[in-house]
Amino acid sequence: MSGPDTNGRVLLHGYFRSSASFRVRIALNLKGVAFTQVNHHLRKNEQRSESYLGVNPQGLVPTLEMDGLKLGQSLAIIEYLEDVQPLPALLPEDAAGRARVRALANIVASDIHPIDNLRVLRYLRESMGQNEEAVQRWYNHWIAEGFAAFETLIAGAPETGTFCHGDAPGLADVCLIPQVVNSQNFKLDLSPYPTIRRIYDTAVKLPAFERAMPMNQPDAE
Amino acid sequence: MSGPDTNGRVLLHGYFRSSASFRVRIALNLKGVAFTQVNHHLRKNEQRSESYLGVNPQGLVPTLEMDGLKLGQSLAIIEYLEDVQPLPALLPEDAAGRARVRALANIVASDIHPIDNLRVLRYLRESMGQNEEAVQRWYNHWIAEGFAAFETLIAGAPETGTFCHGDAPGLADVCLIPQVVNSQNFKLDLSPYPTIRRIYDTAVKLPAFERAMPMNQPDAE
């Protein structure tokens, strides 16, 4: 755990499997910000410990400790990084481009991931008595709805390049890639989403994404 | 339905009860942007019509047609409004303040609303066979977790003023108030959240919020 003083270090409270932590790891890597990880085992509920609730009252990961601040919520953290260190940019310069990228990011961050994350699946199993087959159907339903829309928006668009928006990775890719990795735990068939798959195959070859992968984290099991 | 040409008008595709549409109505009102509403009855699945899928491939409301663009995702829409018409500002000028406000907005927009919205509750009822009591427990569980964190973050903070951040309404309030209104459909007890309640009582007296209320929309039932 971090004390009140991080000695000027950037600390990322996360968990190797957390998609939202994974997003922030990629963004920090892309921006070239060195950071130290403090990992909280979500399956053991370590994020609900009293000491961590002092860091993040929501008891969720990630939290980024930086510049004397304790920042929560992955998208707010990444927008902060963009504000204080604009280059390399994760958002386009034009307002229309920024709206497009933020909308793509939010398809993942608001319409897929919150419904399919660990605490929700746990509620379905433990408080609603749903079996693994029902949980898997649930998971695949929401990710398929979201990925179908995401694919439609990027497949034919002139703005789409090597990545979701142009030829450099940005906020949309930062959100998309962790969701694709997550979907592989549920063996989601990616063939209906060829553009998503193409971007995924390209992104994971970049060191910023590769180093952020769950299996490459110190707490990976 | 809108045709391809909106004749320079700003069109908001929404639904009176949709919290995400409600957010955008408030933001447009606060910014003083005149708009025409095109409403899609979510309970009749009108947002899945072929014509609307041409406007928004995700089949979700809201969509804002403005400046020749079709913008989806409420937070991305509001950030766009902030980009093209910065005043009155919905985000603070300092990066730390912006991060705080965006994090509060995301507690609602990512951690509460997606899990508690109509399409998810419908899935619980129709595809998981859950009864109304179980659906109500689900709803209240997620909103209570989110509101408890939101309350903790704003209750003692020096940044909190008449509104969530200072004395003017901003993005956090734009997200919070629709979620409070929504919670009243489920008769959520607000007494554990006195700061949320105080801000709600203040906000709904402002015309920008009052005019955006579900019951004041043309499609209200």
Side-chain angles (χ1 to χ4, degrees):
Chain A
M1 288 300 307
S2 68
D5 180 4
T6 63
N7 289 319
R9 285 183 306 168
V10 174
L11 289 189
L12 176 63
H13 297 266
Y15 177 56
F16 77 108
R17 262 207 183 114
S18 148
S19 280
S21 304
F22 189 175
R23 289 174 203 153
V24 177
R25 292 194 300 262
I26 300 168
L28 288 164
N29 289 343
L30 286 169
K31 296 278 188 190
V33 176
F35 61 101
T36 303
Q37 294 196 49
V38 185
N39 292 307
H40 304 266
H41 200 301
L42 298 196
R43 287 178 196 270
K44 294 180 187 160
N45 268 326
E46 288 179 1
Q47 79 285 6
R48 313 293 301 185
S49 70
E50 210 169 309
S51 58
Y52 184 62
L53 289 172
V55 175
N56 181 326
Q58 219 184 344
L60 295 178
V61 292
T63 305
L64 189 71
E65 294 198 66
M66 182 172 174
D67 303 335
L69 303 166
K70 291 180 176 67
L71 305 167
Q73 294 288 337
S74 61
L75 291 190
I77 293 170
I78 297 167
E79 294 269 2
Y80 177 81
L81 293 173
E82 188 80 355
D83 273 347
V84 298
Q85 189 178 308
L87 295 177
L90 301 181
L91 287 167
E93 277 188 42
D94 61 308
R98 276 200 296 280
R100 178 175 183 268
V101 169
R102 284 180 172 130
L104 290 170
N106 276 294
I107 290 179
V108 174
S110 289
D111 293 334
I112 301 176
H113 179 252
I115 317 178
D116 273 352
N117 74 6
L118 183 62
R119 64 186 187 137
V120 171
L121 303 186
R122 184 181 270 168
Y123 188 103
L124 293 174
R125 288 187 192 105
E126 295 174 8
S127 302
M128 279 190 168
Q130 297 295 313
N131 62 25
E132 279 316 297
E133 196 191 323
V135 169
Q136 176 123 16
R137 256 200 317 273
W138 166 280
Y139 183 95
N140 285 319
H141 175 81
W142 301 112
I143 204 167
E145 282 217 351
F147 272 10
F150 200 109
E151 177 71 25
T152 304
L153 285 167
I154 58 173
E159 298 93 337
T160 305
T162 311
F163 291 96
C164 290
H165 195 89
D167 295 325
L171 181 65
D173 310 287
V174 162
C175 290
L176 177 63
I177 303 311
Q179 192 64 60
V180 173
V181 171
N182 191 287
S183 77
Q184 296 314 293
N185 296 331
F186 286 79
K187 306 195 188 350
L188 186 84
D189 175 19
L190 288 176
S191 61
Y193 321 113
T195 318
I196 289 177
R197 199 169 168 173
R198 171 178 69 70
I199 290 170
Y200 173 79
D201 288 341
T202 307
V204 292
K205 288 178 194 130
L206 295 183
F209 286 81
E210 203 261 331
R211 278 189 287 128
M213 294 282 277
M215 61 184 171
N216 296 333
Q217 302 319 302
D219 58 331
E221 285 159 5
Chain B
M1 288 303 308
S2 67
D5 181 5
T6 64
N7 290 317
R9 286 182 306 168
V10 174
L11 290 189
L12 176 62
H13 296 267
Y15 177 57
F16 77 108
R17 261 207 184 113
S18 146
S19 280
S21 304
F22 189 175
R23 290 175 202 152
V24 177
R25 293 195 298 263
I26 299 168
L28 288 164
N29 290 343
L30 286 169
K31 296 278 188 190
V33 176
F35 61 100
T36 304
Q37 294 196 48
V38 185
N39 292 307
H40 304 267
H41 201 302
L42 299 197
R43 286 178 196 273
K44 295 179 187 158
N45 269 327
E46 288 178 0
Q47 79 284 5
R48 311 294 299 186
S49 70
E50 210 170 311
S51 58
Y52 184 62
L53 288 174
V55 175
N56 181 327
Q58 219 184 345
L60 296 178
V61 293
T63 305
L64 189 71
E65 294 198 63
M66 182 171 174
D67 303 335
L69 302 166
K70 292 180 174 69
L71 305 166
Q73 293 289 337
S74 61
L75 291 191
I77 294 171
I78 296 168
E79 294 268 2
Y80 176 82
L81 293 172
E82 188 80 355
D83 273 347
V84 298
Q85 190 179 309
L87 296 177
L90 301 180
L91 287 168
E93 279 187 43
D94 60 309
R98 276 201 296 280
R100 179 176 182 267
V101 169
R102 285 181 172 130
L104 290 169
N106 275 295
I107 289 179
V108 174
S110 290
D111 292 335
I112 301 175
H113 179 253
I115 317 179
D116 272 354
N117 75 5
L118 183 61
R119 64 185 186 136
V120 170
L121 304 185
R122 184 180 271 167
Y123 188 103
L124 292 174
R125 287 186 193 104
E126 296 174 9
S127 302
M128 278 190 169
Q130 297 294 312
N131 63 25
E132 278 316 297
E133 197 191 322
V135 169
Q136 176 122 18
R137 254 201 318 271
W138 167 280
Y139 183 95
N140 284 319
H141 175 79
W142 301 113
I143 203 167
E145 281 217 353
F147 273 10
F150 200 109
E151 177 71 23
T152 304
L153 285 168
I154 59 172
E159 298 92 338
T160 305
T162 311
F163 291 96
C164 290
H165 196 89
D167 294 326
L171 180 65
D173 311 287
V174 162
C175 291
L176 177 64
I177 303 313
Q179 191 64 60
V180 173
V181 171
N182 190 287
S183 77
Q184 297 314 292
N185 297 331
F186 286 79
K187 305 193 186 357
L188 185 84
D189 175 19
L190 287 177
S191 61
Y193 321 112
T195 318
I196 289 177
R197 200 170 168 171
R198 171 179 68 70
I199 291 171
Y200 173 79
D201 288 341
T202 307
V204 293
K205 289 179 192 129
L206 295 182
F209 287 80
E210 205 261 332
R211 278 189 286 128
M213 293 282 277
M215 61 185 170
N216 296 332
Q217 303 318 301
D219 59 331
E221 285 159 6

